[in-house]
Amino acid sequence: MPDFSDQAEVAHAAKRETRAALLARRRALTAPQRAAAATRVQAGLTALVRRLRPATMTGYVPVGSEPGGPDLPEVLRAALPAGAELLLPVLRDDLDLDWASYAGPGTLVAAGRGMREPDGPRRGRTAIVGATLVVVPALAVDRRGLRLGRGGGSYDRALARVPAATLTVALLHDGELLTALPAQPHDRPVAAVLTPSDGLRPLPVDPDDDRPTPAGRTRVQ
C-alpha cells in the first residue's frame, strides 16, 4: 500500500526538488559538452562490455540530455560478442517495463514520453532476469547506490526482478554521483555508475573514499 506518512511526503517532496535541479543542470549543458560526455561514456561502456562478454544485456535509447547519446544501442550492439542479445525497454501502460531485442536503428519506433523502442516481439517483464549486465538511466545516484529516476517507478520495478549477482550500471553525467539522495522503501540500488571523467565506479562507495564529484564539482543536495 502507498505510504502516506509525513516522512514519505517529505521524501517525495525532496525527490521532486532534487529532480528539478538535476534536470535544469542537464538542460544547461551545451551540445559540444553533451557530445563529449557521450563519447567518453560510450568508450567506458564499450570496454566493460568487451571485458564481460555478456550473452544478454539490457540498455536503453538515451533521449535529450541523457548520458550516452542517441546512438548508444548501436554502440553496444557493436561491442557485444557474436550472437549476444541487447534488450531495450518497452514502456507498458502501467509504467512497468517490457523488453524487446534490438536489431538495428531501423527497428526503433517512436513511443510515449519521447522514448524510442524496438518494434520486435515483446519478451515480457521477466526478460531482464536473464541479463548478465543491466544498464539503466538515472538522474543521479548516491554513494550508497540509491538511484533517482524521473519519477515513474519503471526502473525500480524492473530492478526488483534482477538477481543480486547481476551487474547493474547507471549512466551519469559528471557531478551526478551525490553524497546522499532522498529515498523511499521502493527505491532500488545499482551496483555501479559510469561517468565521463571517472569511468566505472563500484558502489557503495567506501566511506574513506573522499574523491570529489568530477567536472564542475557541483553537488545537488
Side-chain angles (χ1 to χ4, degrees):
M1 295 180 62
D3 185 352
F4 295 109
S5 67
D6 290 344
Q7 185 176 3
E9 184 57 34
V10 168
H12 182 73
K15 279 186 172 183
R16 185 170 59 246
E17 293 173 5
T18 304
R19 191 177 287 117
L22 288 161
L23 285 169
R25 186 174 182 273
R26 283 189 174 183
R27 286 193 295 269
L29 294 172
T30 65
Q33 286 175 325
R34 293 180 188 181
T39 297
R40 298 182 76 171
V41 166
Q42 288 179 4
L45 200 49
T46 294
L48 177 64
V49 171
R50 287 177 175 168
R51 176 166 60 85
L52 296 181
R53 298 181 58 81
T56 302
M57 70 170 290
T58 75
Y60 63 97
V61 186
V63 296
S65 58
E66 287 184 331
D71 59 339
L72 180 63
E74 194 63 14
V75 170
L76 292 176
R77 187 171 73 144
L80 283 166
E85 183 175 39
L86 173 61
L87 297 175
L88 299 184
V90 177
L91 186 65
R92 292 163 43 103
D93 291 340
D94 61 2
L95 299 185
D96 206 338
L97 294 180
D98 205 326
W99 300 90
S101 183
Y102 175 68
T107 66
L108 295 176
V109 296
R113 303 190 172 207
M115 296 174 62
R116 289 188 294 154
E117 301 172 344
D119 63 2
R122 293 348 185 200
R123 301 283 296 279
R125 293 175 297 174
T126 59
I128 193 173
V129 175
T132 53
L133 174 60
V134 171
V135 176
V136 301
L139 290 176
V141 175
D142 71 16
R143 294 165 73 94
R144 300 167 293 177
L146 293 178
R147 171 189 165 276
L148 181 69
R150 290 181 176 265
S154 302
Y155 276 95
D156 287 318
R157 295 181 182 93
L159 287 169
R161 303 182 181 108
V162 175
T166 301
L167 178 56
T168 52
V169 181
L171 306 185
L172 301 176
H173 286 292
D174 290 329
E176 294 176 348
L177 175 59
L178 309 181
T179 300
L181 285 166
Q184 294 173 281
H186 65 265
D187 292 329
R188 299 288 171 167
V190 292
V193 296
L194 197 155
T195 66
S197 292
D198 266 6
L200 186 70
R201 192 168 183 184
L203 300 171
V205 174
D206 188 315
D208 294 329
D209 184 351
D210 59 356
R211 281 184 291 170
T213 302
R217 275 62 182 174
T218 301
R219 296 184 187 273
V220 180
Q221 301 293 348

